[in-house]
Amino acid sequence: MDIEELLKLLKDELLLVLGESYGDYKKETKADVEAFLTLSKVKLERWTKLLQAGELTVEDYKWLLGSQKDLLILNALYQAGVSKLRLGHLKNKIIKTIVNTVITVVI
């Protein structure tokens, strides 16, 4: 597994998810997604390798990714007036997308 390829795939998938509801803010959300993936790169790589090796369960992986949710700051959407509740739901959807993408690629 090449982490750079995985990050590119994750970025593409996350931009699709964000584009479904917030296409008007594509440029801004792209920067937020890239920042999150950059901040989480080391942990994502480590956890994904552990998942691939069978040392983590999918549930463990989901929990670990959920712990990164606070690093996911969607400034562009927040400044556009999107409610904290909707941002929370969007963050959950982003985490779920990451988990599903990684599971598809790794397992």
Side-chain angles (χ1 to χ4, degrees):
M1 173 205 65
D2 179 21
I3 190 65
E4 296 302 325
E5 287 180 31
L6 179 62
L7 290 175
K8 183 183 180 321
L9 178 62
L10 288 173
K11 182 173 91 173
D12 293 343
E13 292 295 319
L14 294 177
L15 290 176
L16 284 175
V17 167
L18 289 169
E20 291 171 3
S21 302
Y22 303 102
D24 295 344
Y25 301 98
K26 190 171 183 173
K27 183 179 178 184
E28 293 88 349
T29 56
K30 181 179 178 182
D32 291 341
V33 166
E34 287 173 347
F36 172 71
L37 291 174
T38 299
L39 287 172
S40 301
K41 179 180 177 178
V42 172
K43 290 180 181 179
L44 278 171
E45 182 176 18
R46 182 171 6 126
W47 296 338
T48 302
K49 285 180 180 179
L50 290 170
L51 179 67
Q52 190 174 28
E55 295 179 36
L56 280 180
T57 66
V58 173
E59 288 303 313
D60 293 337
Y61 192 81
K62 286 180 187 177
W63 185 87
L64 288 167
L65 275 175
S67 73
Q68 295 295 102
K69 208 166 30 173
D70 289 339
L71 293 178
L72 182 54
I73 300 169
L74 300 169
N75 279 325
L77 298 178
Y78 181 74
Q79 290 176 2
V82 175
S83 72
K84 287 185 179 185
L85 180 63
R86 284 191 73 191
L87 288 174
H89 289 301
L90 185 57
K91 286 180 179 186
N92 289 335
K93 190 172 183 179
I94 288 170
I95 296 298
K96 184 176 180 180
T97 300
I98 292 172
V99 170
N100 291 340
T101 302
V102 168
I103 289 171
T104 301
V105 172
V106 172
I107 298 181

